[in-house]
Amino acid sequence: MWGSGDRVVVRYIRRGRVSWVRPVTVVEDRDDLNVLFLSAGTPTKEPVHDDGSPIPRSLTYEQRFQLDGRVGDGNWGGHQTLLITPPGAAHSIWLFWTEPWEFTGWYVNLQEPQTRTPIGFDTSDQVLDIWVEPDLTWSWKDEDELEDAIRLGRFSPDEAAAIRAEGENVVAAWPFPTGWEDWRPDPAWPVPQLPVGWERV
Ligand code: MG
């Protein structure tokens, strides 16, 4: 288990290769709860074009799906983010704030259960997400991309149904607010950097 203040990475693995790397600081790492802080301004690795240029979000899912899996330098940008992951669950709940800590909402990232690595945690993104506004209204995000992912053979219809069911279970359990909304990091924590070996699977 990691201790509070340890600096690790969360990696998203795709087709056996690293596609996203996000350095984080451990807040809690217990049998029943995993909480990681992803600071505004954190340097990351993310999918890029062959020439290293960033991939605009305006690209369709199919266009992004067909990229060859090259990763390059990125940055998490101007959001303070807390990643709350129940061990073994196929989702993670992310709290978002602006850089000066104004709460902006919850994001339910549907993903494979997180596994432990020598440098942190690995998972795999499952495309579909849920967004919950601070006023507690909620909506699916990227339902169209999940349809594209089925059509392109990334998920079978049964797998996609299981992904959606996980999201429906989170909504039914309704863990909002989470109790972490007033949490703030230790001001002594530095912004974590990418560790050596981030690319090794
Ligand atoms: Mg997602």
Side-chain angles (χ1 to χ4, degrees):
M1 303 297 240
W2 300 97
S4 180
D6 285 348
R7 290 185 290 280
V8 300
V9 290
V10 178
R11 304 189 304 180
Y12 286 81
I13 309 296
R14 183 88 191 282
R15 298 170 181 151
R17 292 170 69 182
V18 173
S19 61
W20 299 85
V21 187
R22 295 172 181 160
V24 294
T25 304
V26 175
V27 178
E28 298 250 10
D29 184 27
R30 311 193 313 239
D31 284 337
D32 61 336
L33 185 68
N34 177 264
V35 183
L36 306 170
F37 173 49
L38 174 52
S39 174
T42 300
T44 61
K45 293 288 179 182
E46 62 181 46
V48 293
H49 286 298
D50 273 343
D51 64 1
S53 62
I55 295 166
R57 182 69 197 179
S58 56
L59 240 53
T60 66
Y61 180 82
E62 182 160 2
Q63 287 168 324
R64 279 180 274 130
F65 183 81
Q66 285 160 351
L67 294 168
D68 75 347
R70 197 191 138 129
V71 294
D73 292 333
N75 192 287
W76 184 243
H79 301 282
Q80 313 285 5
T81 313
L82 198 64
L83 317 176
I84 302 177
T85 311
H91 72 270
S92 180
I93 295 172
W94 301 356
L95 281 71
F96 276 91
W97 297 264
T98 62
E99 196 157 354
W101 293 96
E102 182 193 350
F103 185 67
T104 57
W106 300 270
Y107 188 88
V108 182
N109 197 56
L110 297 166
Q111 61 184 40
E112 286 184 11
Q114 220 167 238
T115 58
R116 290 175 182 277
T117 74
I119 56 171
F121 301 93
D122 282 358
T123 182
S124 179
D125 192 71
Q126 294 180 324
V127 180
L128 185 66
D129 310 289
I130 291 168
W131 177 252
V132 182
E133 295 282 351
D135 70 2
L136 300 176
T137 55
W138 71 276
S139 55
W140 293 104
K141 185 170 170 292
D142 298 337
E143 281 182 294
D144 54 331
E145 295 196 355
L146 185 64
E147 290 302 316
D148 290 343
I150 298 168
R151 186 169 51 79
L152 293 163
R154 178 161 170 206
F155 302 121
S156 71
D158 283 354
E159 287 169 335
I163 292 166
R164 191 178 177 92
E166 177 81 7
E168 286 168 350
N169 287 341
V170 173
V171 170
W174 200 253
F176 312 107
T178 61
W180 288 86
E181 287 68 26
D182 295 326
W183 178 86
R184 297 294 181 268
D186 183 333
W189 287 351
V191 173
Q193 305 295 306
L194 287 148
V196 172
W198 62 264
E199 73 286 358
R200 265 197 302 276
V201 178

